[in-house]
Amino acid sequence: MRSLSHKSPWLWLSLAGVLMLALSFAWQATAQTSSPNALVMNIEGPIGPATKDYLERGLRKAREQNSEVIVVELDTPGGLVDTTRDMIREMLNTDIPVAMYVSPSGARAASAGTYLLYGSHVAAMAPATHLGSATPVQMGGSGFPGSADEADDNAEGQSEGESESESGRESSAMERKVMEDAVSFIRSLAERHDRNADWAEAAVREAVNLTANEALEQNVIDVIARDLNDLLSQIDGMSVVMERGDRTLETADLAVERFDPDWRTELLSLITNPNIAYFLLIIGFYGLIFELSSPGSLFPGTIGVISLLLALFAFQMLPINYAGLALIIVGLALMVGEALMPSFGVLGVGGIVAFVLGSVMLMDAEYLAISLPLIGGVALVSGGLMLWTLTRFATLRRRPAHTGVEQLIGASAIALEDFETRGHVQLHGERWNAVSNVPIKQGDEVKVERLDGLTVYVSPP
């Protein structure tokens, strides 16, 4: 019969496993039966990929801890259309009510923020805030059809008898499609939550705005709240439309847990900034070029690879124009080609033009355009580097050769003997066969005119 000591290790392992399993079930039961709370998030600044990631993580956290409601403190000038739609889709399909709260006083829910407000289950604003200006905008600030400025321009053009070109008609048709799509989208959100759909359409077509008091009077929002506690108190008992039917909120005396943007959100916001992503692309490209031109340096190659990967990740999340990206790459390649095989500026000038055009075309979204001074600065630096390379090559070309056969042309030699046509000279410490058209005496200094194999042709200096 085996002793208990032989079985004790397995016995202890089994007991430890059972204990861990029991603790796991206990933790899950505690999490599921924990008292509901209000998860408070904060969205500030343009709506972009980092904002979407932050909201998705907040929704997951709220589900895990059985939150009663999610309150999003909102202050935004607008942002990406596709990202906004994705965020609204997440809100509409979640099983936890989301209250968009334009806060603090002085904040705004402009453009994309208006869509988020209409898409939320509870729309709230703090005093001295506003919303509106939901008209889709192209890069450069030109409004889509329906804006007051464009109506004036069209009227003026018609009075002057100007006809619209074919490309203009195609552009106008596309803009009308985008406009009507945006109107239908925001009206559907308004109808779902029983809010003012007519004003929502006006906000898209005419870029109108409302203050908090006006928004409450016109049934655009549900609540005006001084602070978070006031908001939770006012929406207690409110019925909201969820994916699976109506739900009555129970928000009185809820514990508040904040879920502020963390390092991940800050990092995503940083690298998805168009100017940062653009700069990372330039650093990555030049880092690889310097590494390939001087293999073994490691430092520029390492920095270049990391920067390039971060830039590509950012561009994958941003609405970039791939034709613009291709022009940037071609432009950089042409400028490098000018440095490696000078073409008297043909490749360099073409590269700078392609680089600038591609940089301007790269981003085509409101609030996500690359800074023109940054584009100009990078183009000037690249042009200056190219000009320095060209002048450097020109200077080196005018210098006399210091190695090879070419360095012997024009060098001085000493005659080792008297000769009239053929003899020997000492050149750079070596004995060479020499040919001269005039008589040469021993010890005379002569100048090398040309070479033919191991024979130098000399003449008096």
Side-chain angles (χ1 to χ4, degrees), residues 4 22 31 38 61 78 86 100 146 181 197 226 311 326-327 377 405 431 434 436 438 451:
L4 185 61
K61 183 177 178 66
D86 291 340
M100 284 286 169
D181 178 69
R226 298 185 305 274
L327 278 173
V405 176
R431 182 183 176 92
S436 177
V438 296
L451 283 81

Side-chain angles (χ1 to χ4, degrees), residues 62 130 270 274 301 308 336 397 410 428 444:
H130 69 276
L270 179 65
L308 195 58
V336 172
R397 194 170 185 177
H428 290 184
D444 286 352

